[in-house]
């Protein structure tokens, strides 16, 4: 195979992060990475990303890139790894109102890449892909059949991150068979052989956006996020789970409009609402340490909900071999990990306080030697998962998992 450089663009509402991988000659190398934050306009950011790649000598012309990969969130009727053509972008537009913080920046960014690099294939790996093999009972809402047909079901998100954790945790626990099954998941739907006993992992992706997933033998059994990325755990400024009857009640009793309710639920809720206006976890922790009541409550609610989901998967998986923490908060905030693992010794989980305190942004086992369940920190690598699937897609565009 010739040149195989794949750029993965990670588009946030106000940020652009990228990683450039080289798969030439069957190897797998990260060539460079970069990004910009606090953006008001993605167009100059994308132009400067491409300029950085050229100035760094990583690419000299458009055709040096085999593809640009995107960690897209959700689209009507589309799942898995697909070529981004107009129909897929329209399917993302169809769901822009239920993923308002995610789909619009991705759609805008994808259109800009298509304009700046018209000859380069653009390929998406949807975050929902990892849950295609989760049990139906875990993914259904108890709604009329017509609603279900219209897509009202649990989809689950952070698929790239949780898939990376499925692979990496299995490697760390010396279960190459399970790591292989997780790696091959989008090719064979989890059919590659594994030995007994089953490997049971709970992955906590805790960041600006957070979710918990249960994983049996490399395959997800569910995710704390449901229909949309506003659900599940309290997010940085998005609401998390809420009884749906709150909305009609407030609209009727206070005159709240639908548009204002959507704005409040997507931008002014979650940890920001609980903490009295703080979006960044570091600020909330700092305020809680100074004795601020709302900040302390925000931390307590967050840990409570995370424990709720860990407990759910502990049961669904019939016990646990490893509890994994990842993403900005999970990798860096020892205090949150302490709170989540508090008083679980009867269930076989015991942190080593020193190892926990020392571990920041690196891979480490942080449980005590006598802990039956390993507690592990693993820095996530979502871009690598996207790049691998994009590469596989380029080699074989009819990969069976594309549209289940
Ligand atoms: P993410 O969405 O994974 O980038 O995570 C963002 C969240 O992680 C923010 O709320 C940050 O406060 C937190 N975070 C990121 N880096 C650090 C760090 N080095 N130390 C503590 N918290 C961090």
């Amino acid at each position: 195979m010739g040149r195989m450089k794949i750029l993965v663009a990670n588009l946030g509402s106000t940020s652009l992060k990228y990683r450039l991988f080289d798969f030439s000659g069957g190897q797998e190398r990260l060539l460079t990475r970069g990004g910009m934050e606090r953006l008001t306009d993605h167009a100059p950011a994308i132009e400067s990303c491409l300029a950085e790649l050229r100035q760094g000598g990583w690419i000299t012309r458009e055709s040096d890139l085999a593809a640009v990969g995107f960690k897209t969130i959700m689209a009507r009727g589309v799942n898995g790894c697909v070529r981004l053509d107009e129909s897929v972008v329209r399917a993302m537009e169809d769901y822009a109102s239920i993923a308002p913080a995610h789909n619009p920046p991705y759609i805008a960014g994808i259109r800009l890449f298509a304009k700046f690099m018209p000859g380069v294939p653009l390929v998406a790996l949807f975050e929902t892909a990892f849950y295609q093999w989760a049990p139906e009972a875990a993914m259904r809402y108890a709604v009329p059949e017509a609603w279900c047909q219209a897509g009202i079901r649990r989809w689950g998100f952070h698929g790239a991150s949780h898939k990376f954790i499925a692979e990496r945790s299995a490697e760390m626990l010396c279960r190459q068979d399970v790591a292989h099954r997780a790696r091959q998941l989008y090719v064979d739907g989890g059919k590659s052989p594994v030995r007994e006993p089953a490997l049971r992992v709970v992955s906590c992706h805790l960041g600006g956006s957070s979710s918990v997933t249960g994983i049996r033998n490399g395959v997800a059994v569910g995710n704390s996020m449901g229909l949309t990325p506003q659900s599940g755990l309290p997010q940085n400024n998005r609401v998390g789970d809420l009884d749906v009857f709150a909305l009609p009640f407030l609209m009727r009793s206070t005159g709240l409009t639908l548009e204002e309710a959507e704005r409040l639920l997507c931008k002014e809720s979650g940890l920001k609402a609980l903490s009295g206006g703080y979006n960044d976890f570091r600020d909330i922790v700092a305020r809680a340490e100074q004795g601020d009541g709302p900040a302390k409550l925000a931390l307590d609610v967050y840990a409570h909900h995370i424990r709720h989901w860990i407990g759910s998967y502990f049961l669904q998986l019939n016990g646990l071999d490893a509890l994994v923490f990842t993403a900005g908060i999970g990798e860096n905030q020892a205090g949150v990990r302490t709170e989540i693992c508090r008083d679980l010794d009867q269930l076989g989980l015991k942190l080593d306080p020193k190892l926990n305190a020392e571990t920041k942004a690196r891979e480490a086992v942080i449980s005590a030697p006598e802990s039956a369940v390993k507690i592990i920190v693993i820095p996530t690598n979502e871009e690598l998962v996207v790049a691998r699937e994009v590469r596989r897609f380029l080699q074989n565009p009819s990969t069976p998992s594309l549209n289940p």
Side-chain angles (χ1 to χ4, degrees), residues 17 205-209 279-282 327-329 332-333 360:
K17 286 184 257 172
H205 177 109
L206 309 180
S209 177
N279 214 339
D280 192 290
F281 211 80
R282 284 165 283 207
I329 296 168
N332 293 295
Q333 295 279 358
K360 220 171 189 294

Side-chain angles (χ1 to χ4, degrees), residues 278 283-293 295:
Y278 295 89
D283 297 335
I284 300 174
V285 169
R287 291 189 65 83
E289 281 169 1
Q290 290 158 12
D292 182 76

Side-chain angles (χ1 to χ4, degrees), residues 57-335:
W58 303 112
I59 57 169
T60 49
R61 63 188 82 83
E62 193 182 292
S63 59
D64 286 341
L65 284 180
V68 182
F70 297 89
K71 187 173 61 75
T72 46
I73 309 301
M74 66 189 309
R76 188 197 291 275
V78 185
N79 207 346
C81 186
V82 296
R83 179 87 179 247
L84 276 159
D85 59 17
E86 193 53 37
S87 72
V88 175
V89 176
R90 280 211 204 99
M92 290 173 68
E93 277 167 352
D94 283 350
Y95 276 177
S97 71
I98 54 172
H102 300 89
N103 275 19
Y106 260 103
I107 293 162
I110 287 161
R111 290 203 188 286
L112 286 165
F113 269 101
K115 187 170 136 202
F116 294 141
M117 310 210 104
V120 179
L122 308 182
V123 181
L125 176 65
F126 281 90
E127 289 283 63
T128 48
F130 192 46
Y131 308 98
Q132 294 173 87
W133 302 277
E136 185 63 7
M139 306 310 275
R140 283 289 283 263
Y141 289 123
V143 294
E145 177 61 21
W147 289 29
C148 185
Q149 293 300 325
I152 308 300
R153 58 181 279 117
R154 301 185 72 91
W155 289 106
F157 296 91
H158 292 134
S161 180
H162 290 303
K163 183 171 188 290
F164 180 79
I165 298 305
E167 296 173 16
R168 188 63 200 133
S169 61
E171 284 169 0
M172 289 178 77
L173 296 164
C174 302
R175 288 295 301 266
Q176 297 304 335
D177 55 334
V178 173
H180 180 74
R181 177 179 280 191
R183 279 285 281 275
Q184 290 297 105
L185 184 62
Y186 296 163
V187 177
D188 62 15
K191 297 214 170 55
S192 69
V194 291
R195 59 183 163 80
E196 296 283 329
L199 185 68
R200 304 152 302 173
V201 174
V202 167
S203 169
C204 302
H205 177 109
L206 309 180
S209 177
S210 302
S211 74
V212 177
T213 280
I215 305 167
R216 180 188 285 109
N217 283 334
V219 182
V221 300
N223 179 248
S224 58
M225 281 179 170
L227 172 69
T228 82
Q230 284 75 246
S231 56
L233 304 173
Q235 312 295 339
N236 59 347
N237 60 356
R238 286 165 285 133
V239 62
D241 280 345
L242 173 74
D243 188 319
V244 291
F245 275 82
L247 198 54
F249 170 74
L250 282 171
M251 289 172 72
R252 283 204 192 92
S253 58
T254 68
L256 183 70
T257 65
L258 184 57
E259 289 68 29
E260 180 62 358
E262 281 178 315
R263 191 190 70 78
L264 291 171
L265 293 169
C266 292
K267 294 208 158 115
E268 302 294 337
S269 297
L271 298 176
K272 186 178 177 187
L274 289 165
S275 69
Y278 295 89
N279 214 339
D280 192 290
F281 211 80
R282 284 165 283 207
D283 297 335
I284 300 174
V285 169
R287 291 189 65 83
E289 281 169 1
Q290 290 158 12
D292 182 76
K296 178 82 179 59
L297 178 69
L299 296 183
D300 289 348
V301 172
Y302 188 56
H304 177 89
H305 281 80
I306 294 164
R307 285 166 64 96
H308 168 91
W309 281 100
I310 294 171
S312 170
Y313 292 126
F314 196 100
L315 194 91
Q316 299 295 345
L317 295 169
N318 189 16
L320 208 53
D321 297 296
L323 175 67
V324 181
F325 291 103
T326 193
I329 296 168
E331 292 166 25
N332 293 295
Q333 295 279 358

